[in-house]
C-alpha cells in the first residue's frame, strides 16, 4: 500500500502468499518424459519397499502427471557423487555442468533437465547458502524501476519490470501503470486502489497520524526463498538432474585447444576429490562469479561489484498479518520494506560496498540505521528497541558490469550472459523474480553455441515445482485430522512443503499426549517440528546443523531461540546420520559461528554444547541486555513495584518530586538533562502524579540510555547511507 504524506510517501503492500502456492507457477500438466537421463539404476526406498528407476523405467513420472509420488525419496548424495564420477567415461559425459546451487544455478539445472539434456550441478556449500536465502523475500517487478522508467523514459527499466511481472503468479502492483504492465505480462491480477486516511490507519494503526493524507494498496508476491531454492533443486533431481551440495570446484579442466572440458571438484565433507566431465560449463555463482572466472583466466577483469544488503527480524506486532509497508523516500533514497514473514516482521535493507565473503556479518551501524528508518514513520508511542531485533543478516547483492559493454564501469540493470574464449558461460546479476527467465536464456545460449541436442524447448514456465501438485488452501485441515497436529504446525507444513507435508508428517513421532498426537516442536515459540529435521536429512540432502537456516527458517526468525534449540537439533541429526561426539561438537561450533552472522550477540566466553543446554538458567549481563526482548528482569520488576508502592503514600500515584528519589532507590542515576528529555518523550507533566505504567516508561528510557553508554553507541558516528542510484534500490537482494 502506498501511503501519501505531505512530506513523504509510504507504500503498503498486500502480500499474496496463499499457502504453498507462492512457488508454483501454474497447473498445466504434460505427459511424462521418457528420457530419464541417468543410465545407472537408482534405488528409491519407500518405507520398507524398494522400487527402481532407470532409462527404461522412469518411476518419477508415473501416470499422466509429472508429480513424484508423496513418499518419493531422491537418490542419495552418495549415489549422486557416483554418477558425477562416472562422467569420466566417454559415454557418460554431461551436456552441462552448472556451478552454483542458488536460485539461478538450480533454476538453470531444472531448465536444462526439462529439455532432456544431461545436466549436473555442484554447490560448494548448501542450496541457497549465499544470497538466495538472504533476500527481502519478495518476488516483484520493482516499484523504483517503474518510477525511473516513466520519469526518464528508460525502456530498459520498463522491460525489466515487464519481464519480472511475467514470472509471477501472484504479486503486488504499486500504481495503475504497474497494473498495466502486469496486463502486458499476461497475468490476471488484483487492481491497486486508494485508501482514505482513516482507512489507512485501520490497516496500519502504528503510523504517525500527523501529515498522513491517505494510502494506496498494491499487490506483490512473497515467498520463502531458501525453501523455494530447495524445491527448485529437488524438482531438477526429479527430472533427472544429478545434483550434489557441499561439492566445491577447485579448478577447471581444459583440452589441448584451451577449451573447457570439465572441472576438478572436492567433497567438502569428506575431502575426496575427482573430475567431472561436461561439454558446457555454466558459472552461476552469484557474488562469487569472479572466483570461477579467474579459474578460467587469471588475467580476467572482475565484473562483480558486491553490495551488502542488511535485513533485521522484528516481532510480529510491528506489521499487520497480510500487509507490508514500503518507504520509497528514505534518508538516502533507498526503498525500505517492513513486511510480515513467517510469523515475524522483517525490515530492510541497506546498501553499502562490501567484500565478497562466504558469511557476511551485519554491522551494528547498519542495524541501527534500519531501526532509525522504521522509527521515522511510526507513532511516537511505539518505540522500536534494539532488543526487538530477533535476527539480522547480510546478503551480498552481485551487481555486475558487462565486460562486453562500451562503458564497462556501468552496472547492468538486469542480468548478463558472458561467454569466455575457453567457452565458460557466466550468468550474473538479476534477482529472485527473474531467475527462471535468466535460466532459460542461459540454457538457450548453451544450446546455440555448443550444438546440444535438447528434446524440446524450455518447459519451466509451465512446470510445477515439487510439492505443488496436491496442494490446496485447505489441506492443512486434513493434516490435523489424519495426524492430530496443532493447527499452527499443520498450516506451516502445508505452506512450506505443499503436498510433501504428508511425507514430513510421516516422519513424526507420537508426542505421548492426548493433543497434539504428533508433531513435537523444536522450540515452543515456532511451529517447526522434529520431523522436519529428519525429513531434511533423508529427502532434502541436509548434511549439517545449519539446517536450522535453510530447511527450516528458525535462524532467520530468532537467533537466540535457534541457539537454545541447537543441542536438540544436533541430537536428532546425530541419530539419523550416526555422528560421533567429535562430529557433534564440530557441528555445534560451526552452527554457532553461523548464528553470529545472523545477529546472535557474541558471548564473552566460548559457548559449548553442554553449556547451551543450560542457557535458560543464565542471567544476562548488563551488556547482553541490549539484545534482550524483555527490557527488565524479574527481580528488577519486583524492585520497581516495591519502590513505587513505598513512595505512593496516597495511593494516587508517585509524586513528581519523588521521581529522583525513586531512581536512586532502584539504582538508576542519570544526568538531569537526560532525564528531562526522557520525561518529554513520555509526555509527563510536572504538575500531576505519575502512574505505575508511566513510571516504567521513565525507567525504560533511563535503562536504554545506560545501555547505550555501556555499548558505546555514538549517535554522531552511526552508519550513514549515501545516496544511491535507482538501479541499486530494487528492494533487497
Amino acid at each position: 500500500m502506498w501511503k501519501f504524506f505531505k512530506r513523504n510517501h509510504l507504500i503498503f503492500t498486500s502480500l499474496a502468499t496463499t499457502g504453498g502456492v507462492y512457488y508454483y507457477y501454474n497447473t498445466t500438466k504434460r505427459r511424462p518424459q521418457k528420457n530419464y537421463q541417468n543410465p545407472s539404476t537408482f534405488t528409491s526406498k519407500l518405507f520398507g519397499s524398494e522400487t527402481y528407476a532407470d532409462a527404461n523405467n522412469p518411476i518419477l513420472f508415473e501416470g499422466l502427471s509429472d508429480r513424484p509420488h508423496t513418499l518419493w525419496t531422491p537418490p542419495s548424495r552418495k549415489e549422486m557423487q557416483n554418477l558425477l564420477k562416472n562422467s569420466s567415461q566417454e559415454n557418460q559425459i554431461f551436456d552441462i555442468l552448472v556451478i552454483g546451487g542458488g536460485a539461478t544455478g538450480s533454476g538453470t539445472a531444472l531448465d536444462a533437465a526439462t529439455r532432456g539434456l544431461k545436466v549436473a550441478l555442484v554447490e560448494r556449500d548448501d542450496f541457497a547458502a549465499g544470497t538466495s536465502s538472504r533476500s527481502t523475500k519478495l518476488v516483484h517487478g520493482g516499484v523504483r524501476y517503474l518510477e525511473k522508467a516513466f520519469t526518464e523514459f528508460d525502456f530498459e527499466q520498463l522491460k525489466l519490470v515487464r519481464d519480472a511481472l511475467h514470472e509471477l503468479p501472484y504479486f503486488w502492483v504499486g500504481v495503475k501503470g504497474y497494473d498495466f504492465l502486469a496486463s502486458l505480462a499476461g497475468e490476471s491480477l488484483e487492481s491497486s486502489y486508494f485508501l482514505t486516511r482513516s482507512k489507512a490507519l485501520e490497516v496500519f494503526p502504528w503510523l504517525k497520524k500527523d501529515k498522513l493524507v491517505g494510502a494506496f494498496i498494491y499487490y506483490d508476491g512473497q515467498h520463502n526463498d531458501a525453501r523455494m531454492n530447495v524445491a527448485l533443486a529437488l524438482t531438477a533431481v526429479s527430472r533427472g538432474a544429478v545434483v550434489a551440495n557441499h561439492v566445491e570446484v577447485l579448478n577447471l579442466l581444459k583440452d589441448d585447444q584451451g577449451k573447457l572440458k570439465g572441472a576438478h571438484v572436492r567433497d567438502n565433507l569428506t575431502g575426496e576429490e575427482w573430475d567431472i566431465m561436461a561439454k558446457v560449463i555454466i558459472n552461476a555463482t552469484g557474488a562469487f562469479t569472479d572466483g570461477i572466472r579467474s579459474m578460467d583466466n587469471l588475467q580476467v577483469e572482475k565484473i562483480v561489484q558486491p553490495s551488502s544488503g542488511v535485513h533485521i527480524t522484528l516481532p510480529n506486532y510491528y506489521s499487520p498479518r497480510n500487509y507490508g509497508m514500503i518507504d520509497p523516500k528514505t534518508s538516502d533514497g533507498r526503498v525500505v520494506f517492513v513486511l510480515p514473514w513467517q510469523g515475524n516482521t522483517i525490515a530492510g535493507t541497506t546498501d553499502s560496498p562490501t567484500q565478497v565473503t562466504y558469511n557476511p556479518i551485519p554491522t551494528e551501524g547498519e542495524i541501527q540505521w534500519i531501526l532509525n528508518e522504521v522509527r521515522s514513520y511510526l507513532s511516537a508511542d511505539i518505540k522500536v528497541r534494539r532488543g526487538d531485533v530477533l535476527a539480522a543478516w547480510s546478503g551480498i547483492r552481485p551487481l555486475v558490469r558487462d565486460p562486453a559493454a562500451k562503458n564497462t564501469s556501468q552496472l547492468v540493470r538486469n542480468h548478463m550472459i558472458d561467454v569466455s574464449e575457453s567457452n565458460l558461460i557466466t550468468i550474473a546479476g538479476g534477482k529472485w523474480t527473474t531467475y527462471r527467465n535468466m535460466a532459460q536464456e542461459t540454457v538457450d545460449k548453451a544450446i546455440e553455441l555448443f550444438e546440444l541436442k535438447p528434446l524440446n524447448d524450455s518447459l519451466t514456465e509451465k512446470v510445477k515445482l515439487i510439492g505443488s501438485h496436491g496442494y490446496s488452501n485447505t489441506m492443512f485441515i486434513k493434516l490435523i485430522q489424519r495426524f492430530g497436529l496443532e493447527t499452527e504446525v499443520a498450516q506451516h507444513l502445508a505452506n512450506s512443503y505443499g503436498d510433501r507435508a504428508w511425507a514430513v508428517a510421516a516422519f513424526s513421532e507420537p508426542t505421548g499426549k492426548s493433543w497434539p498426537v504428533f508433531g513435537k516442536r523444536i522450540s515452543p515459540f515456532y511451529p517447526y517440528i522434529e520431523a522436519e529435521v529428519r525429513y531434511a536429512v533423508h529427502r532434502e540432502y541436509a548434511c549439517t546443523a545449519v539446517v536450522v537456516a535453510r530447511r527450516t527458517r528458525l535462524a532467520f526468525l530468532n537467533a537466540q531461540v535457534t541457539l537454545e534449540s541447537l543441542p536438540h537439533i544436533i541430537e536428532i541429526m546425530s541419530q539419523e546420520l550416526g555422528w560421533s561426539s567429535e562430529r557433534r561438537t564440530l557441528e555445534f561450533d560451526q552452527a554457532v559461528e553461523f548464528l553470529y552472522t545472523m545477529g546472535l550477540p557474541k558471548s564473552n566466553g566460548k559457548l559449548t554444547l553442554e553449556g547451551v543446554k543450560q542457557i535458560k538458567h543464565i542471567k544476562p549481563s548488563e551488556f547482553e541486555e541490549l539484545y534482550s526482548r524483555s527490557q527488565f528482569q524479574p527481580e528488577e520488576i519486583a524492585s520497581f513495584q516495591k519502590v513505587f508502592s513505598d513512595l505512593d503514600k496516597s495511593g494516587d500515584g508517585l509524586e513528581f518530586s519523588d521521581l529522583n528519589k525513586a531512581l536512586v532507590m532502584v539504582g538508576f542515576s542519570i544526568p538531569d538533562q537526560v532525564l528531562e528529555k526522557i520525561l518529554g518523550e513520555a509526555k509527563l507533566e510536572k504538575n500531576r502524579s505519575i502512574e505505575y505504567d508511566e513510571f516504567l516508561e521513565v525507567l525504560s528510557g533511563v535503562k536504554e540510555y545506560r545501555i547505550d553508554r555501556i555499548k558505546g553507541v555514538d549517535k554522531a558516528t552511526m552508519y550513514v547511507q549515501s545516496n544511491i542510484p535507482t538501479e541499486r534500490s530494487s528492494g533487497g537482494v
Side-chain angles (χ1 to χ4, degrees):
M1 180 190 294
W2 259 337
K3 297 199 164 177
F4 294 106
F5 290 77
K6 292 180 180 178
R7 293 186 179 178
N8 201 358
H9 301 275
L10 293 178
I11 303 173
F12 276 5
T13 63
S14 181
L15 299 176
T17 55
T18 311
V21 178
Y22 52 70
Y23 57 62
Y24 314 134
Y25 280 108
N26 63 33
T27 57
T28 303
K29 292 185 178 180
R30 68 183 191 87
R31 294 191 62 82
Q33 187 172 309
K34 295 295 185 180
N35 62 310
Y36 191 78
Q37 67 172 39
N38 300 327
S40 64
T41 299
F42 286 155
T43 302
S44 181
K45 299 177 181 178
L46 306 177
F47 289 90
S49 65
E50 291 188 351
T51 56
Y52 297 91
D54 58 30
N56 298 314
N57 180 30
I59 64 163
L60 304 185
F61 315 118
E62 292 176 336
L64 297 179
S65 171
D66 56 3
R67 171 185 179 178
H69 59 77
T70 303
L71 301 181
W72 170 67
T73 300
S76 70
R77 186 169 177 272
K78 184 65 176 177
E79 290 172 316
M80 289 295 195
Q81 289 185 351
N82 288 338
L83 289 168
L84 292 175
K85 294 172 185 175
N86 289 342
S87 68
S88 58
Q89 302 174 26
E90 185 173 349
N91 64 338
Q92 304 298 324
I93 296 174
F94 289 102
D95 291 321
I96 294 175
L97 169 62
V98 180
I99 306 173
T104 304
S106 297
T108 300
L110 174 58
D111 187 283
T114 60
R115 302 191 198 207
L117 294 172
K118 188 173 181 180
V119 58
L121 179 149
V122 293
E123 160 59 44
R124 66 166 297 278
D125 194 334
D126 193 12
F127 308 117
T131 303
S132 294
S133 64
R134 297 167 179 259
S135 73
T136 307
K137 323 303 180 191
L138 294 178
V139 280
H140 65 109
V143 177
R144 294 285 287 167
Y145 292 143
L146 184 67
E147 177 186 8
K148 187 169 183 178
F150 283 112
T151 59
E152 300 184 14
F153 302 100
D154 191 326
F155 177 76
E156 287 301 316
Q157 297 286 359
L158 192 66
K159 182 177 181 295
L160 173 60
V161 178
R162 186 198 65 192
D163 290 346
L165 291 176
H166 181 65
E167 301 303 322
L168 303 175
Y170 301 94
F171 47 87
W172 357 307
V173 277
V175 291
K176 291 300 178 182
Y178 216 37
D179 293 340
F180 174 69
L181 285 178
S183 68
L184 291 182
E187 304 292 347
S188 176
L189 305 169
E190 295 285 343
S191 296
S192 54
Y193 59 93
F194 180 76
L195 288 183
T196 63
R197 179 180 184 274
S198 61
K199 291 294 184 181
L201 289 172
E202 285 182 18
V203 172
F204 213 117
W206 301 269
L207 279 176
K208 287 180 179 177
K209 297 178 177 61
D210 59 318
K211 302 179 182 177
L212 178 63
V213 176
F216 195 76
I217 295 280
Y218 79 103
Y219 292 82
D220 209 339
Q222 187 180 62
H223 70 158
N224 185 332
D225 50 8
R227 286 222 53 83
M228 177 158 176
N229 202 148
V230 172
L232 283 170
L234 289 174
T235 306
V237 171
S238 75
R239 293 290 183 144
V242 178
V243 173
N245 56 348
H246 301 284
V247 173
E248 181 175 6
V249 171
L250 300 181
N251 55 70
L252 301 176
L253 306 177
K254 297 181 179 180
D255 61 20
D256 295 339
Q257 285 73 44
K259 304 298 182 182
L260 291 178
K261 64 176 183 177
H264 184 69
V265 302
R266 177 182 63 210
D267 181 345
N268 283 335
L269 299 180
T270 66
E272 184 181 5
E273 299 183 13
W274 68 91
D275 292 340
I276 301 174
M277 311 307 291
K279 301 173 185 176
V280 180
I281 297 179
I282 295 176
N283 173 16
T285 53
F288 304 95
T289 292
D290 286 329
I292 300 298
R293 294 179 76 243
S294 65
M295 288 184 188
D296 179 44
N297 179 1
L298 290 175
Q299 308 302 318
V300 72
E301 292 186 10
K302 292 183 178 181
I303 61 172
V304 173
Q305 182 175 313
S307 172
S308 171
V310 172
H311 297 78
I312 62 175
T313 304
L314 299 168
N316 59 6
Y317 46 76
Y318 283 113
S319 63
R321 183 177 179 181
N322 294 318
Y323 290 90
M325 186 165 65
I326 297 177
D327 181 358
K329 300 292 185 181
T330 62
S331 58
D332 74 326
R334 182 160 181 77
V335 171
V336 167
F337 294 83
V338 180
L339 307 168
W341 186 72
Q342 300 288 302
N344 280 357
T345 300
I346 60 174
T349 175
T350 62
D351 186 292
S352 56
T354 189
Q355 298 296 317
V356 175
T357 176
Y358 290 126
N359 294 302
I361 299 177
T363 67
E364 183 62 27
E366 289 170 316
I367 294 172
Q368 291 289 350
W369 183 84
I370 295 174
L371 288 174
N372 289 336
E373 292 295 331
V374 173
R375 291 182 186 119
S376 68
Y377 57 77
L378 293 184
S379 176
D381 60 345
I382 304 296
K383 292 188 176 180
V384 186
R385 299 174 49 249
R386 177 59 175 83
D388 290 330
V389 178
L390 307 179
W393 69 89
S394 173
I396 301 178
R397 301 181 66 226
L399 306 171
V400 295
R401 296 182 293 270
D402 186 351
K406 293 181 179 179
N407 182 4
T408 58
S409 65
Q410 187 171 355
L411 295 176
V412 175
R413 292 170 182 158
N414 192 355
H415 62 270
M416 67 112 204
I417 298 174
D418 178 64
V419 183
S420 73
E421 291 184 2
S422 62
N423 294 339
L424 174 66
I425 298 179
T426 294
I427 172 66
K431 54 183 179 177
W432 252 116
T433 309
T434 56
Y435 85 88
R436 193 206 62 81
N437 183 53
M438 293 167 62
Q440 178 179 331
E441 289 183 9
T442 303
V443 178
D444 285 344
K445 178 65 70 173
I447 292 170
E448 172 193 343
L449 295 180
F450 303 104
E451 300 182 351
L452 302 180
K453 305 297 181 183
L455 299 181
N456 46 258
D457 293 333
S458 176
L459 300 173
T460 52
E461 193 172 348
K462 297 181 179 181
V463 165
K464 290 185 179 183
L465 301 188
I466 191 168
S468 64
H469 302 75
Y471 173 82
S472 73
N473 289 338
T474 59
M475 70 170 289
F476 76 93
I477 298 175
K478 291 184 179 180
L479 288 169
I480 296 171
Q481 294 171 338
R482 307 294 188 270
F483 288 93
L485 298 171
E486 294 174 89
T487 300
E488 184 185 19
V489 170
Q491 289 174 328
H492 154 66
L493 294 182
N495 293 344
S496 298
Y497 298 89
D499 62 31
R500 304 295 102 178
W502 297 104
V504 177
F507 276 96
S508 295
E509 295 181 351
T511 64
K513 304 175 183 178
S514 59
W515 193 266
V517 181
F518 288 92
K520 296 179 181 178
R521 293 197 184 210
I522 295 171
S523 164
F525 307 111
Y526 294 92
Y528 302 111
I529 60 176
E530 294 178 358
E532 291 180 77
V533 179
R534 295 189 170 91
Y535 179 85
V537 169
H538 294 287
R539 306 291 171 85
E540 295 183 335
Y541 301 109
C543 303
T544 72
V546 184
V547 65
V548 294
R550 294 183 285 270
R551 301 307 186 278
T552 76
R553 305 312 306 274
L554 192 57
F556 282 80
L557 296 175
N558 195 314
Q560 181 64 35
V561 167
T562 304
L563 175 66
E564 295 169 6
S565 305
L566 201 52
H568 185 42
I569 292 168
I570 290 175
E571 180 183 354
I572 296 171
M573 295 193 73
S574 182
Q575 294 170 0
E576 303 301 320
L577 295 170
W579 286 346
S580 64
S581 59
E582 291 80 8
R583 175 66 183 273
R584 290 194 295 270
T585 299
L586 176 64
E587 289 293 333
F588 175 81
D589 291 343
Q590 291 178 342
V592 169
E593 287 301 314
F594 173 80
L595 289 178
Y596 288 148
T597 73
M598 298 301 298
L600 182 73
K602 287 210 171 186
S603 174
N604 291 331
K606 178 177 172 56
L607 293 174
T608 65
L609 187 58
E610 290 301 317
V612 169
K613 291 179 181 179
Q614 307 299 322
I615 199 168
K616 60 184 177 181
H617 303 300
I618 299 175
K619 177 183 176 181
S621 67
E622 191 168 23
F623 176 81
E624 292 170 327
E625 288 182 29
L626 173 67
Y627 303 96
S628 173
R629 286 189 67 185
S630 175
Q631 228 172 351
F632 304 122
Q633 298 302 308
E635 60 272 17
E636 289 180 305
I637 292 292
S639 172
F640 300 160
Q641 289 175 338
K642 184 178 185 306
V643 168
F644 189 87
S645 297
D646 289 346
L647 294 176
D648 182 15
K649 303 297 184 182
S650 64
D652 294 329
L654 191 67
E655 293 296 328
F656 206 94
S657 58
D658 288 333
L659 182 57
N660 275 316
K661 183 178 180 180
L663 292 177
V664 172
M665 291 174 68
V666 298
F668 286 1
S669 178
I670 61 172
D672 291 340
Q673 65 270 26
V674 176
L675 180 58
E676 286 293 329
K677 181 180 179 182
I678 293 171
L679 294 175
E681 290 177 348
K683 298 180 180 178
L684 295 181
E685 300 174 2
K686 296 184 179 181
N687 59 353
R688 66 175 180 84
S689 59
I690 300 174
E691 297 293 340
Y692 180 63
D693 63 314
E694 296 172 327
F695 180 55
L696 290 180
E697 181 77 10
V698 173
L699 293 175
S700 171
V702 172
K703 190 164 187 180
E704 286 193 0
Y705 167 77
R706 297 178 74 225
I707 289 177
D708 278 352
R709 297 270 294 180
I710 294 168
K711 178 67 178 176
V713 175
D714 183 353
K715 304 296 185 184
T717 59
M718 292 295 291
Y719 169 82
V720 176
Q721 282 274 69
S722 58
N723 286 321
I724 56 175
T726 298
E727 57 266 26
R728 295 179 57 142
S729 60
S730 60
V733 178

